[in-house]
Amino acid sequence: MRPEHIEDILVKLHTGQWFGWSDPKNRVYANLIIHGGQDKPTQEHLESELASMQAEYDAQEYARNRQAEYPSINDLIVALWENVVEERAASVIELEAKRQAIKTKYPK
Amino acid sequence: MSYLGKVELKSSDIRRVDVTSSTSATHTLTWTPPSEQSLIITINGVKQQNNYSISGVTLTLDTALVATDEMEVIGINDIGTTTVPGDGTVTTTKIEDDAVTADKLANAINTSIAANTAKVTNATHTGDVTGATALTIASGAVDLAMLSATGTADATTFLRGDNAWAAVAGGLSDASQWRLTSNFAGDADPIASNLAVVDSDGYGSLGSAMTESSGIFTFPSTGYWLIICQYSARYDAVGASGYAMLKTQTTVNDGTYGDAAIIYTTFESGTDYSSTNGQFLFDVTSTSTHKVRFRVDQSNTSNVTLGDGSKNMTAMTFMKLGAT
């Protein structure tokens, strides 16, 4: 899930119900309230962390795309078994071609 | 002389006075003769006529007696006097029908009669009862205060056929819904903040709502309460499975809480969302000792319990099914 809100950062700072919103329908920094003894993070920190996490998430888009189209683990195991045990490399070669095509389609 | 009837009611009687050895012209009678004609006077047996006079009880002869004279005076006492009935002796049957006129009644009685007659025939009445002749109850005039029914009339009671205000047996009387308004990661024992009554998308409660303080919910009245939980969570750990659970915890002594219901939700791996729900039927026999709270336990501190101020992600519904 791509982080879209500073609440996605807040839940990673501390566990438990240490924060809330004075107006739950308008969850902006100005309405952020701290329940416990935690320090209130600055808006700049939260927004910076959010931008960083979004960049990190976006940077992994190629990986998520590749993951979605890669052959299944089951297909890989069968191909490896055929190649190693049965000395038939056709499936391995075919799957490797598919993997390389996907990598080309979704470069880093 | 003997009498018939009551002596007290006689109108007259016969008196007599004998005079001897008198040389006087004046004599005192034992009664007051009403007139000279009421007397029969004889002297030595000879009736007297026009030779005496009376004044009060005094009889005066024109000529004084001599000592040897014997005078006898006989008279009727109280001739012509009105017979006065004794106090409290006139009965209803003694009065002729239609004989008592208004003049014979006390003025106060006549005044009262006149006033009452005016009320029926002339006065115009206003207020709840209106009219100048036939009186009617005005539309919308009869309110609850005019009813004699027992019990308390309020928004939760109805008037029964036995004239008693009573709550309707069975059926939902109270229902309300709360939601978690913010996300949090990890555990919450109990969920103690960010709880609010649902207030969006046409929400409505029925009857009295629950109250909440630091995550402890108090019921507005005793009864059988159905508690329904909706739980939503997100799994943020990478590469492993996990679970989250929501516990409905109740107490019957306002102190010790037990796990009344536990609902689990599981995650396969990576970022994953999951929801589940559960119920518990709570017999609340006392609103001061029977309470409920909710607790979250996570397999991983990166698990996030989902809450939102605009929609139900994690929410609790409380419905009173009936009296305990």
Side-chain angles (χ1 to χ4, degrees):
Chain A
M1 181 201 76
R2 187 178 193 272
E4 299 290 353
H5 194 274
I6 59 173
E7 192 169 17
D8 295 322
I9 307 302
L10 291 167
V11 296
K12 293 185 178 302
L13 295 179
H14 306 286
T15 60
Q17 294 187 282
W18 64 279
F19 72 92
W21 306 97
S22 58
D23 180 1
K25 291 184 174 57
N26 187 20
R27 294 181 292 174
V28 297
Y29 182 82
N31 293 331
L32 175 63
I33 55 176
I34 305 301
H35 294 310
Q38 307 290 351
D39 294 330
K40 184 176 182 177
T42 65
Q43 183 173 2
E44 292 72 19
H45 173 72
L46 293 176
E47 291 175 346
S48 172
E49 285 295 309
L50 178 60
S52 175
M53 285 185 63
Q54 288 175 334
E56 182 180 343
Y57 181 89
D58 292 343
Q60 292 297 313
E61 184 177 7
Y62 80 94
R64 290 189 294 275
N65 290 334
R66 289 179 179 180
Q67 183 68 37
E69 296 187 19
Y70 274 159
S72 68
I73 298 295
N74 185 61
D75 290 342
L76 292 176
I77 291 175
V78 171
L80 286 171
W81 183 272
E82 290 176 351
N83 185 37
V84 173
V85 177
E86 300 177 359
E87 297 182 346
R88 292 188 294 116
S91 295
V92 171
I93 294 171
E94 180 183 353
L95 288 182
E96 179 58 17
K98 282 186 178 179
R99 284 172 50 82
Q100 290 304 320
I102 292 170
K103 286 183 178 182
T104 301
K105 182 178 179 182
Y106 301 113
K108 287 187 178 179
Chain B
M1 176 180 179
S2 60
Y3 298 89
L4 294 175
K6 295 179 180 179
V7 173
E8 291 77 4
L9 297 179
K10 65 184 180 180
S11 60
S12 62
D13 59 357
I14 307 298
R15 299 290 180 90
R16 187 184 75 180
V17 171
D18 293 324
V19 179
T20 58
S21 303
S22 173
T23 58
S24 174
T26 61
H27 304 275
T28 301
L29 303 178
T30 60
W31 73 97
T32 304
S35 63
E36 294 177 0
Q37 293 79 2
S38 68
L39 298 177
I40 298 175
I41 303 173
T42 60
I43 300 175
N44 299 323
V46 178
K47 182 180 180 296
Q48 306 299 304
Q49 184 175 0
N50 297 330
N51 57 351
Y52 62 88
S53 63
I54 59 171
S55 175
V57 297
T58 302
L59 169 65
T60 304
L61 299 175
D62 292 348
T63 303
L65 296 175
V66 298
T68 58
D69 285 344
E70 292 181 355
M71 182 174 70
E72 180 185 67
V73 180
I74 298 174
I76 300 174
N77 183 35
D78 295 334
I79 291 176
T81 56
T82 302
T83 300
V84 179
D87 292 344
T89 62
V90 178
T91 63
T92 302
T93 55
K94 294 292 191 300
I95 301 173
E96 185 180 2
D97 291 348
D98 200 29
V100 179
T101 65
D103 290 340
K104 300 302 180 183
L105 298 175
N107 290 338
I109 296 175
N110 287 328
T111 300
S112 296
I113 292 173
N116 289 332
T117 301
K119 286 179 182 176
V120 174
T121 60
N122 297 319
T124 297
H125 300 269
T126 58
D128 296 339
V129 179
T130 64
T133 53
L135 303 181
T136 58
I137 299 175
S139 298
V142 178
D143 57 24
L144 296 182
M146 293 183 177
L147 301 180
S148 61
T150 58
T152 301
D154 59 31
T156 66
T157 57
F158 296 84
L159 182 60
R160 297 191 314 207
D162 60 355
N163 202 32
W165 295 103
V168 175
L172 285 177
S173 59
D174 301 273
S176 60
Q177 194 171 60
W178 293 65
R179 63 164 54 128
L180 181 68
T181 61
S182 179
N183 297 343
F184 67 89
D187 299 339
D189 182 18
I191 299 175
S193 58
N194 303 332
L195 293 166
V197 176
V198 175
D199 61 353
S200 61
D201 303 284
Y203 169 79
S205 62
L206 175 66
S208 300
M210 301 286 289
T211 55
E212 180 269 340
S213 177
S214 299
I216 307 300
F217 285 86
T218 300
F219 296 86
S221 63
T222 60
Y224 288 101
W225 286 83
L226 179 62
I227 304 166
I228 302 174
C229 302
Q230 169 187 330
Y231 181 66
S232 300
R234 183 181 75 224
Y235 188 53
D236 281 350
V238 176
S241 60
Y243 67 86
M245 71 172 74
L246 176 69
K247 296 180 177 179
T248 299
Q249 297 185 312
T250 58
T251 177
V252 295
N253 58 14
D254 192 26
T256 305
Y257 283 84
D259 295 337
I262 301 176
I263 52 178
Y264 284 90
T265 184
T266 58
F267 310 101
E268 293 297 327
S269 65
T271 299
D272 201 1
Y273 291 87
S274 184
S275 293
T276 185
N277 63 74
Q279 305 85 32
F280 181 70
L281 183 60
F282 196 14
D283 181 9
V284 180
T285 57
S286 168
T287 58
S288 60
T289 59
H290 289 54
K291 299 178 181 179
V292 62
R293 67 184 186 188
F294 302 91
R295 170 179 173 175
V296 169
D297 286 338
Q298 300 275 14
S299 64
N300 190 302
T301 56
S302 63
N303 292 355
V304 176
T305 296
L306 300 177
D308 195 299
S310 300
K311 50 187 170 293
N312 291 353
M313 302 290 284
T314 297
M316 305 85 180
T317 301
F318 305 91
M319 294 191 295
K320 182 177 179 180
L321 304 180
T324 183

